[in-house]
Amino acid sequence: MTQTITRTVRMRDLGHYGLSAARGFLSAAEIDEVSLPDDFAEVEEAAAMLPALVATGRVRHWLKGLPIPDMAGFLATASEAEIGVAMVRYSFMVQAHVWGETSPPTALPANLAIPFVAISDRLGLPPVMNYAGYVLDNYYRLDKAEGLTLDNLAMDQHFGGGSDESWFVLVHVAIEAEAGRALDLAVALVAASDAGDAARVEALLIEMNAVWDAINAIFDRMVERCDPYVYFNRVRPYIHGWKNNPALPDGLIYEGVSAFGGKPVALRGQTGSQSSIVPSMDALFGVTHENDALREFLAELHGYRPVMHRAFIEDLQAASGLRAFARTQSQSLKDTFNACVEQVARFRSRHLEYAAAYINKQASNAAGNDPDVGTGGTPFMKYLKKHRDENRAQVI
């Protein structure tokens, strides 16, 4: 007799969270299809020229004259896609202003700080570049008739430009697109396990394993066109935050933002750990982390994700009874469950390997670009290894 399980949190379909099987956590609108209002014209022009402005060595000189658009009017009528694009533009300009010269300033000028904080507040995010502004909303397809594959993707907004910077971001975009199928399967797995349908659960886990083969194959391609030296010295410096960063020990003052009272604010930098894919899989498979400083960091990082992405992870964590169900089933089903858990551990292992080669083994002469501290302001090698080991240990 089939036993069904009723849970207090009901998992909605992907559309409820603004997600899809085709794009996963990526923005539904490609950035080349979205235009900002006319009073953003100078902002758009400066953002488009950012690689050239950075190359002059005095990017702050070029950005200091930008006007402040009518943010209240814009936010009152703008679509979600338009707000996302505005976040991309300002995120890149803010990061370039802070890290684009020899040493960082202690303050962000009002013409950047005021609109950036307004956009961030509207999105429910801290006012600093995050993974959504760097990756999820910063892509488009070259041929709209073809898919979201590495040979058909372009990065729109850049810091310095070049193939290494683009490839680094686009590998993440391609992974996010492929992961859409994993998110769709996650929703189906919650329903099937709640319904006690062992045959369907096993079939879905087999599909999930195949999706993770594809995700890991994309991740393996990072080395093809992103050189570790170039990444460390020409890409990574711009994506640091101002928390636990000795180059900005007190954080950054946001001039003209009354809510901060003229005091410096310390915020974490953009990091791939802000991607919602792996936390979603942890939620689905019931993988947990010890209650320590690492777990506190993960909890803090959660607030840097888009609001609906947080909601998806939280609902999935509360709704998933997959681990408990799998424990009671055949060895064959347990094996498929464990294979999927191992796939995520494999992804984490590759991340650890890249972190060692692209960051930890590099030598730094740039302010704030410490090879022992992640862009999120943590001892990342220790944390990534712990993530991987805890993940791998939680098979059934």
Side-chain angles (χ1 to χ4, degrees):
M1 183 176 181
T2 300
Q3 180 183 7
T4 59
I5 301 172
T6 302
R7 298 190 179 278
T8 55
V9 174
R10 183 168 65 89
M11 199 68 215
R12 310 289 189 91
D13 63 23
L14 293 184
H16 172 79
Y17 305 94
L19 313 178
S20 71
R23 295 177 190 256
F25 291 110
L26 292 172
S27 171
E30 295 175 27
I31 194 168
D32 66 329
E33 300 169 337
V34 182
S35 299
L36 297 180
D38 290 344
D39 65 343
F40 280 80
E42 290 182 61
V43 170
E44 291 267 59
E45 182 180 2
M49 292 181 62
L50 201 57
L53 303 184
V54 167
T56 68
R58 54 184 190 132
V59 65
R60 292 171 203 152
H61 167 79
W62 304 109
L63 296 179
K64 69 181 181 181
L66 286 178
I68 301 176
D70 175 12
M71 296 309 299
F74 170 67
L75 294 173
T77 60
S79 66
E80 182 180 340
E82 289 170 331
I83 296 171
V85 170
M87 184 68 169
V88 171
R89 303 304 183 213
Y90 274 99
S91 292
F92 273 76
M93 289 191 297
V94 166
Q95 296 291 134
H97 183 277
V98 174
W99 300 115
E101 297 188 22
T102 304
S103 59
T106 57
L108 187 66
N111 70 323
L112 295 177
I114 291 172
F116 190 43
V117 171
I119 295 164
S120 300
D121 285 350
R122 173 62 179 275
L123 292 171
L125 293 165
V128 65
M129 170 176 270
N130 57 43
Y131 183 80
Y134 190 49
V135 173
L136 301 178
D137 299 338
N138 189 24
Y139 77 96
Y140 63 94
R141 286 173 297 160
L142 294 164
D143 184 341
K144 302 297 185 184
E146 295 186 7
L148 290 157
T149 54
L150 272 170
D151 61 356
N152 191 42
L153 286 169
M155 178 184 180
D156 182 78
Q157 181 68 62
H158 296 78
F159 287 114
S163 61
D164 296 84
E165 182 181 3
S166 289
W167 189 254
F168 176 73
V169 167
L170 295 176
V171 166
H172 286 85
V173 172
I175 287 170
E176 294 286 344
E178 188 65 42
R181 292 196 293 146
L183 305 184
D184 199 36
L185 288 166
V187 174
L189 277 162
V190 170
S193 58
D194 281 358
D197 189 341
R200 177 154 173 75
V201 167
E202 187 167 352
L204 291 169
L205 286 170
I206 290 170
E207 285 188 56
M208 179 72 82
N209 190 54
V211 171
W212 272 95
D213 270 338
I215 290 171
N216 280 314
I218 295 170
F219 204 19
D220 287 346
R221 296 186 63 189
M222 181 65 77
V223 296
E224 290 180 17
R225 297 179 193 173
C226 184
D227 178 83
Y229 176 86
V230 175
Y231 167 77
F232 186 80
N233 291 283
R234 298 288 181 262
V235 178
R236 186 178 191 254
Y238 298 106
I239 59 178
H240 284 276
W242 25 97
K243 182 170 185 175
N244 297 343
N245 193 320
L248 282 170
D250 299 319
L252 189 69
I253 295 170
Y254 289 68
E255 292 180 347
V257 180
S258 58
F260 297 149
K263 296 180 180 179
V265 180
L267 296 171
R268 296 197 180 277
Q270 191 287 138
T271 165
S273 295
Q274 290 171 2
S275 169
S276 295
I277 299 170
V278 170
S280 294
M281 295 298 103
D282 282 353
L284 174 66
F285 297 124
V287 172
T288 58
H289 300 281
E290 292 180 20
N291 193 10
D292 56 11
L294 170 57
R295 187 166 173 178
E296 291 174 11
F297 166 67
L298 292 175
E300 182 183 355
L301 214 60
H302 191 54
Y304 288 71
R305 297 188 175 100
V307 172
M308 292 308 293
H309 297 187
R310 291 179 231 162
F312 178 80
I313 295 168
E314 291 161 10
D315 286 359
L316 187 57
Q317 185 174 38
S320 180
L322 179 60
R323 172 174 286 268
F325 177 77
R327 284 186 185 279
T328 67
Q329 300 305 307
S330 67
Q331 189 60 48
S332 176
L333 190 148
K334 289 176 183 175
D335 288 345
T336 58
F337 177 93
N338 289 339
C340 291
V341 172
E342 175 57 30
Q343 287 276 31
V344 183
R346 176 185 160 198
F347 184 85
R348 281 178 154 134
S349 287
R350 177 62 79 198
H351 190 184
L352 181 63
E353 291 167 11
Y354 286 156
Y358 281 75
I359 303 169
N360 199 239
K361 294 180 181 178
Q362 301 298 317
S364 178
N365 296 312
N369 195 23
D370 187 338
D372 295 319
V373 178
T375 53
T378 66
F380 63 96
M381 291 296 291
K382 173 184 174 182
Y383 278 13
L384 290 175
K385 185 177 186 300
K386 192 168 185 293
H387 284 173
R388 189 271 315 276
D389 292 346
E390 288 178 340
N391 183 158
R392 183 158 279 157
Q394 293 180 61
V395 292
I396 58 174

